[in-house]
Every structure is written in C-alpha cells, then in structure tokens.
Amino acid sequence: MIFTNQENSSDMPRRWALRGDLLDFTGAPAWGDTESPAVRFDRDHWLLIEDGRIVGRQASAPDDTWLQRDHTGQLVLPGFIDTHVHCPQLEVIGSYGTELLDWLQRYTFPAERAFADAARSKAGAEVFLDALLASGTTSAVVFPTVHKVSAEALFESAAARGMRLITGKVLMDRHAPDGLRDDVAQAERDCIDLIDRFHGRERLAFAVTVRFAPTSTPAQLAMAGALCRADASLYMQTHVAENRAEVAWVSELFPQARSYLDVYDAVGLVHPRAVLAHGIYLDESDRRVMLARGAQIAHCPSSNLFLGSGLFDWSGAPFPVSLASDVGGGTTLSLPRNMGDAYKVQALRGERLTAWAALHAATRGAAQALQLGDEIGGLSVGQVADVCVWDWAAGPVAQVRDAAARELHERVFAWMTLADERNLAACFVAGRPVVPRA
C-alpha cells in the first residue's frame, strides 16, 4: 500500500455513501458468546457520511446527490484503536533472544536515543503513523521517547492526518542510559508546555506518560500524579506487571508499596483515563483497585508471547480490557493478527476468546474505556467516519476457508485468524481516504 492523506481528498464531496457489509457493536458481548445481541451486522448496506461524520446507515441506495463508493462483498469496520504502542521501536521489532528488562537495554533504549534529533523524530513519526493507517488503525495511544521533540512530532504528524492520537513526553529520570533521562523540574515544564499547545486541539490529547515505575524516582511519580489531579481530562499511560523479573525489581525499589499497581495508585496515577499496559501479574486486590478507579488494561498478546512475559487472564478481568500491539515488543501493528495471538494466549489458559470479544476490544470497547465512545469505535450516526474496508479473504487458503463458513461468527473468526494488512482495501479518517490500494 502507498499512503497519502491527500489521495482523492480534494475530490471528496461533503456527502458520500459507502456500500458494504457493515459490522460494529451496540454493547459489550458476553465472554464466550458466539451469538451476541451486541453484534450489529448489516449485510450489503450503505453508510452515509457528511462532513466527516456518519449521518445514516440504510439498506437502500441513497439518491444521486450522494457520491456512491461501492464495496459490495467487503467487510466494513470502524477504524481500529491501538491502546499501547511505541513509535520509536519499529526498527527493533523482531529483535532476538531476550526477556523484557534485557530487551530494553539491548534494543529499545539505543533506538530511542536517536529521537533526541528533531528531524529523526519527525521522520519516525510519519513512518509510524503511516504504518498504523496501513494496518487499519486510525486511533492510538502512543509512547514517544523521553525527548520533548518526539512528542511534538507525533502530535503534529497526527494532526496533519486528522487522526485521533493520545501521547505525551515519556518521563524517565533514573535507571536509563545517558541521553534518555530527564529531571523532575524540566520534565514538568515540558509536559505543561505540550498540554497547553496540543491537548484538546483538533483530535489530539495529552497523556502523562510514565515509562514504568523503575525508571521514575518517587519525586517524578509524585509530579506525574499532580499533573493528573490538576486536570482530569488528561490521560495517563504506563506499564504494569508485565514480567516476573520486573515485578520483583519494583518490589525492591518500592518496599513500602503493597504491589506494583499500588506504586501508581498511591500518587494518583490510576484513574478513569489511565491506560496500563499488560497487567499479567495483578493480584485480586489490584483487580479491585482497577475496577474501583475505572482504569483499563491494554492487553498486548503478541508482545507477551514474543518476550515470554506470561498469559494475561482476560476472562477474569472485572475492569475494561482493550487490545494493543505493543510494537516493538509485539511483532506486528496489525490488530487482526494481535486478535489471533490473543486467542492463542487464552487457549493456553484453557479459555476460548470469541471473535466478538476480540473485535470489540479493538473498537467500541477501547473507545468507551478511553471515554471516546461518542467519537470513535463504531458505525453509529454522529460518530466520526473513521472507517476501514477489508477483504473477507486474501489468498487461496483464506478464500477456501471463507467459502466454507456456515454462520457469521465462524466467518469473522476465520477472518480474524487469517487476515492482516494485506486484507485492507480502503481506509478513511474523518471521511477522507488515506490508504488506497496499491
């Protein structure tokens, strides 16, 4: 695919209609339910779009005042929402042979150091966001680096593409190499400046971004919590309980804390706009805290499998769970491929993840957990037209499997298991085409 955020956009009228098999959710599907009333599937329907928003969906063709775009026989979904991914880690994706802590030192930190350069940050942000769009992801919660310019580049590049993006300068003032540490006072000034310039502008939002507890001093964590308390509209993103060695390290660094999650909770970082990645080793008390605070876990199955971190207990989670790629620990930006990995993680736990639960976590469920359900995550009237069109099957194996499917869940599950970015036929951000088929 070739990305352009201008392709045909000057020719797009204010009103246009998209024909295809429309699939989204009106509620949360129950765990294990393959026939769910929460699934809304309208085969061969029209989605009506005006001024970048959805204004209708209907079986009959609209009149000739609407430009008609025909994708008959293709699957139409809301754009995916990746709730945890690292912009600077594309060049270390698929790196060999280590667990989390060694992987950070050997691969991640050296790659991130280069983003101190503004030109490198800009180029990296553009490639990264184009790659998200080429995978059908139109909204994301993103880690840049400790450098302010890396967050600026992401904000500016996302605004140019019209994307919904949540990001913020990474906070890291200890246990990191030279060139990747900040200090509390300067980090606070940088965050405030970024908030003033970007938070709430267009489709951008600021996230107080704590790398993870070991790389922030108690003073920096307290400063991060103060930022969140000062403005409840800010997001917070970090990592928690991903790896056993990491959990043990946090216990040594914060002996006063009851748990890893408690380190964050004690300073006010666990709240309704908090996105905590992984959460594999949360205990029952942690789970109750997550539920009480309204925070979500971004489940990163590809990363958890690749780094050997562990198996997340999704079915037992009382709190919201969204889906994330966690590139570069994860090995693909494609959320369908991450859905397939999520199924395998749950299968290893003796559970079965339905296509509905997986797809919901990457669309409506993620949007609601981010308090953005009125804007993204569905194909309802009033929502922004972040919409992707997919081939039901790409290649002879998938085509044979698709033809044999007997009912809707079987067909969507086969799509989820076999699809990737090659299935993407078209992508629209706020009603504009951004990823034409090569």
Side-chain angles (χ1 to χ4, degrees):
M1 295 177 184
I2 301 171
F3 171 85
T4 170
N5 67 328
Q6 299 296 325
E7 181 73 20
N8 296 327
S9 60
S10 61
D11 299 328
M12 292 298 291
R14 292 179 55 243
R15 290 158 40 105
W16 64 281
L18 173 66
R19 182 183 188 181
D21 297 336
L22 311 185
L23 175 60
D24 67 343
F25 297 89
T26 59
W31 186 266
D33 190 353
T34 59
E35 294 185 6
S36 173
V39 177
R40 178 167 57 174
F41 181 66
D42 292 327
R43 188 189 303 276
D44 196 19
H45 271 54
W46 291 87
L47 195 69
L48 307 185
I49 297 165
E50 185 170 358
D51 293 331
R53 287 190 178 267
I54 296 167
V55 296
R57 49 191 291 167
Q58 61 192 47
S60 59
D63 62 42
D64 58 10
T65 65
W66 296 80
L67 173 71
Q68 297 183 8
R69 183 155 181 162
D70 195 341
H71 287 278
T72 301
Q74 292 177 303
L75 177 63
V76 180
L77 295 172
F80 290 134
I81 305 162
D82 190 336
T83 54
H84 180 73
V85 60
H86 295 259
C87 169
Q89 293 185 19
L90 291 185
E91 65 189 53
V92 300
I93 192 171
S95 296
Y96 171 75
T98 62
E99 291 188 356
L100 173 65
L101 298 181
D102 186 45
W103 191 84
L104 289 172
Q105 296 292 338
R106 187 181 300 187
Y107 299 117
T108 303
F109 289 159
E112 293 188 359
R113 192 182 291 114
F115 279 68
D117 178 72
R120 178 70 182 87
S121 284
K122 183 177 187 296
E126 291 181 348
V127 170
F128 169 77
L129 294 176
D130 291 356
L132 284 182
L133 291 168
S135 298
T137 295
T138 55
S139 301
V141 184
V142 183
F143 267 65
T145 69
V146 72
H147 313 103
K148 183 183 178 184
V149 294
S150 70
E152 290 171 328
L154 271 171
F155 278 130
E156 291 165 358
S157 297
R161 289 156 176 76
M163 295 175 71
R164 163 55 74 179
L165 192 87
I166 300 168
T167 191
K169 189 201 93 70
V170 174
L171 301 175
M172 217 161 45
D173 68 343
R174 66 171 176 174
H175 297 141
D178 291 345
L180 284 180
R181 292 189 304 275
D182 54 15
D183 64 72
V184 176
Q186 185 61 54
E188 183 178 31
R189 288 192 292 269
D190 288 347
C191 288
I192 291 171
D193 180 62
L194 291 167
I195 291 166
D196 289 343
R197 291 163 55 204
F198 296 106
H199 184 60
R201 170 191 152 199
E202 300 183 37
R203 302 182 71 191
L204 309 175
F206 186 86
V208 175
T209 303
V210 176
R211 180 48 170 271
F212 67 153
T215 51
S216 285
T217 60
Q220 187 172 72
L221 292 172
M223 180 272 288
L227 287 174
C228 290
R229 288 191 298 273
D231 185 348
S233 71
L234 297 178
Y235 290 90
M236 194 286 298
Q237 61 175 338
T238 192
H239 302 80
V240 68
E242 177 180 358
N243 170 281
R244 287 190 177 92
E246 170 209 18
V247 172
W249 191 21
V250 170
S251 180
E252 294 172 3
L253 292 171
F254 299 91
Q256 78 285 359
R258 190 201 65 79
S259 68
Y260 192 159
L261 182 71
D262 187 51
V263 173
Y264 300 134
D265 191 44
V267 294
L269 290 173
V270 186
H271 55 74
R273 292 197 170 205
V275 183
L276 297 103
H278 306 294
I280 297 170
Y281 299 103
L282 299 178
D283 62 22
E284 287 307 311
S285 294
D286 293 331
R287 288 167 175 260
R288 287 193 293 271
V289 169
M290 289 285 296
L291 176 62
R293 304 289 185 267
Q296 67 171 295
I297 287 293
H299 175 37
C300 309
S302 172
S303 173
N304 297 161
L305 291 172
F306 185 74
L307 296 177
S309 298
L311 306 176
F312 174 66
D313 180 6
W314 190 341
S315 65
F319 43 78
V321 176
S322 55
L323 195 69
S325 67
D326 193 27
V327 164
T331 55
T332 177
L333 290 172
S334 168
L335 286 188
R337 290 178 63 189
N338 276 278
M339 293 177 208
D341 282 343
Y343 177 84
K344 296 166 191 172
V345 167
Q346 296 311 305
L348 287 168
R349 297 192 66 259
E351 299 279 352
R352 290 294 180 266
L353 176 69
T354 66
W356 305 142
L359 197 56
H360 179 265
T363 54
R364 186 180 191 270
Q368 290 194 316
L370 294 170
Q371 301 185 358
L372 293 170
D374 291 339
E375 178 191 341
I376 57 176
L379 303 177
S380 293
V381 171
Q383 290 183 303
V384 174
D386 292 346
V387 180
C388 290
V389 180
W390 300 84
D391 288 331
W392 278 103
V397 173
Q399 289 166 0
V400 168
R401 180 65 187 92
D402 180 63
R406 295 162 295 180
E407 42 82 26
L408 182 61
H409 181 267
E410 181 180 0
R411 192 180 192 197
V412 175
F413 183 82
W415 174 85
M416 177 187 96
T417 305
L418 300 175
D420 57 26
E421 58 272 20
R422 292 170 295 182
N423 291 64
L424 187 66
C427 177
F428 305 90
V429 173
R432 292 189 308 153
V434 291
V435 184
R437 182 169 298 222

